[in-house]
Amino acid sequence: MSFDNPQLLWALAILVPGSILFLRRRLARLAQYKTLTSAEAYIRLRGISIKSAVLFLLCFISLIVALAQPRWGQRLVSEYYSGLDLVLAFDVSRSMDLKDGDDGQSRLEVAKQAALNLIEARPDFRYAVTLGKGKAILAIPLTDDKESIINLIMSLSSAAISSAGSNLQELLELASQAFPEESPGKKRIILFSDGEDTKGSLSDVERVLQAKGIGVIAVGVGSLQGLPVPQADGTAFLRRPNGTAVISQLREPALQELAALSGGMYWNASREASMDALLNYLDALANGRAPLEYRRETPSQQVWFVLAAFLFFAAARLLEEGLWKKR
């Protein structure tokens, strides 16, 4: 047995001698009626008085023990998780600099604005940021510091990472590692990309994400028609061995498949101005509760002592009424 408030048990040290003093006074008072009744009736009254005092004592002892909140035994209880942790995974490859949006913004600018709008609309979520090009880096671990997240997003450019190419597989794998193992919240990666992947394989990373229970929200940017990709110095376009220009376009089917297989969703930020569908999806995740695991708990047994105190008090009152009637 254990107690939540064991210090209250010291009151028993005062209660017991106080009860003995109270009983003595009751018996002394009762002795005044000794000459007014028979010896047999006096003995009966004295016995009832002692029993009543003992019941009152047990009542107060039970109340003190109840206030100390005793616990014993064990039971299994479900642990529930709620909330939402998000890793914002930005593709910062050179193709994200292409300006094929209707408003003249680059793909990266569209992605940045979508992320900023999300943080503004849902500031209570926890966020992390990963960046990917030929290599991937964890820019900011999972945090509640929205100001740091916003400042980083506003400063993003394709020059943030020097490696060439695009490796979405490595970006997503690193993003999945940004969630702490002990994190009880639901986990989602929001991938901002045009879907161009020159080094990795999205099909390989899907299995990893499924095993970890991490869904991907794929935010597509760019146009389906695409544009030629400029060289690093901007003087000419990248060309294939046959001399044709390398065209970068939004790989929408690949992003949609990634989102569907991982239990996430797809949203085209270049085509759809409203992000209500995305916000509704995130809100449904954040508000949902599901059992995470079971744990053993030592339950409180306070109610039994409260019930015992009530029964002792009721019995004492019944004896008291009988005592005064007999007098």
Side-chain angles (χ1 to χ4, degrees):
M1 179 185 293
S2 60
F3 297 89
D4 291 353
N5 302 303
Q7 67 275 10
L8 296 180
L9 296 176
W10 286 104
L12 296 176
I14 302 174
L15 178 63
V16 174
S19 299
I20 294 174
L21 179 62
F22 171 74
L23 179 59
R24 285 182 177 179
R25 288 188 175 183
R26 280 179 70 98
L27 294 178
R29 183 183 175 190
L30 187 61
Q32 299 175 6
Y33 297 91
K34 188 174 184 179
T35 58
L36 302 178
T37 186
S38 64
E40 182 180 352
Y42 174 76
I43 292 174
R44 189 183 309 111
L45 290 174
R46 191 172 186 275
I48 293 175
S49 182
I50 292 174
K51 291 177 182 178
S52 175
V54 170
L55 287 172
F56 276 122
L57 174 61
L58 291 174
C59 171
F60 286 115
I61 289 176
S62 297
L63 285 176
I64 291 173
V65 174
L67 290 173
Q69 297 186 16
R71 296 179 181 273
W72 70 76
Q74 284 191 337
R75 66 183 178 187
L76 290 176
V77 296
S78 298
E79 287 277 8
Y80 288 88
Y81 64 81
S82 59
L84 187 59
D85 293 337
L86 301 174
V87 175
L88 308 180
F90 288 93
D91 176 3
V92 291
S93 59
R94 194 182 307 161
S95 65
M96 293 291 286
D97 286 333
L98 296 179
K99 299 181 179 181
D100 51 1
D102 294 336
D103 53 1
Q105 285 187 312
S106 70
R107 298 174 183 178
L108 185 56
E109 289 297 328
V110 173
K112 290 163 58 176
Q113 190 58 55
L116 293 173
N117 291 342
L118 169 61
I119 296 173
E120 181 181 4
R122 297 297 182 268
D124 295 333
F125 298 156
R126 292 200 302 174
Y127 296 91
V129 177
T130 58
L131 308 177
K133 206 172 186 180
K135 294 290 184 180
I137 62 170
L138 175 61
I140 298 181
L142 203 61
T143 180
D144 293 312
D145 184 3
K146 305 301 183 297
E147 185 176 353
S148 297
I149 299 287
I150 291 172
N151 288 338
L152 174 64
I153 293 174
M154 293 179 66
S155 65
L156 280 183
S157 72
S158 60
I161 302 177
S162 59
S163 59
S166 176
N167 192 338
L168 296 183
Q169 177 184 352
E170 183 174 323
L171 174 59
L172 290 171
E173 288 178 349
L174 181 64
S176 70
Q177 298 168 15
F179 299 105
E181 291 293 335
E182 70 278 5
S183 176
K186 295 179 182 177
K187 308 173 181 68
R188 289 294 183 272
I189 297 170
I190 302 184
L191 173 64
F192 299 91
S193 175
D194 53 17
E196 295 274 10
D197 193 352
T198 60
K199 292 186 177 181
S201 171
L202 289 180
S203 59
D204 291 338
V205 78
E206 287 166 1
R207 291 187 290 271
V208 175
L209 297 174
Q210 287 176 345
K212 293 183 177 182
I214 300 173
V216 175
I217 300 169
V219 178
V221 291
S223 66
L224 298 178
Q225 296 77 21
L227 287 175
V229 181
Q231 294 184 2
D233 57 11
T235 58
F237 295 112
L238 291 177
R239 295 190 177 276
R240 302 184 189 279
N242 61 5
T244 60
V246 175
I247 302 298
S248 172
Q249 59 189 151
L250 172 60
R251 307 294 180 181
E252 197 164 52
L255 294 176
Q256 290 173 332
E257 182 181 7
L258 171 65
L261 292 178
S262 64
M265 68 166 289
Y266 174 77
W267 176 52
N268 188 316
S270 293
R271 186 172 60 235
E272 302 171 29
S274 173
M275 64 189 315
D276 289 345
L278 173 59
L279 295 178
N280 291 337
Y281 172 84
L282 295 176
D283 289 341
L285 287 175
N287 295 330
R289 298 174 72 246
L292 177 63
E293 61 182 15
Y294 290 93
R295 62 176 173 84
R296 294 187 179 276
E297 178 184 80
T298 303
S300 172
Q301 306 294 343
Q302 183 183 48
V303 63
W304 300 111
F305 288 90
V306 173
L307 180 60
F310 174 78
L311 293 176
F312 287 138
F313 180 80
R317 289 299 301 164
L318 288 174
L319 286 176
E320 285 282 300
E321 290 181 5
L323 173 64
W324 290 105
K325 286 180 180 179
K326 292 181 185 309
R327 288 183 186 178

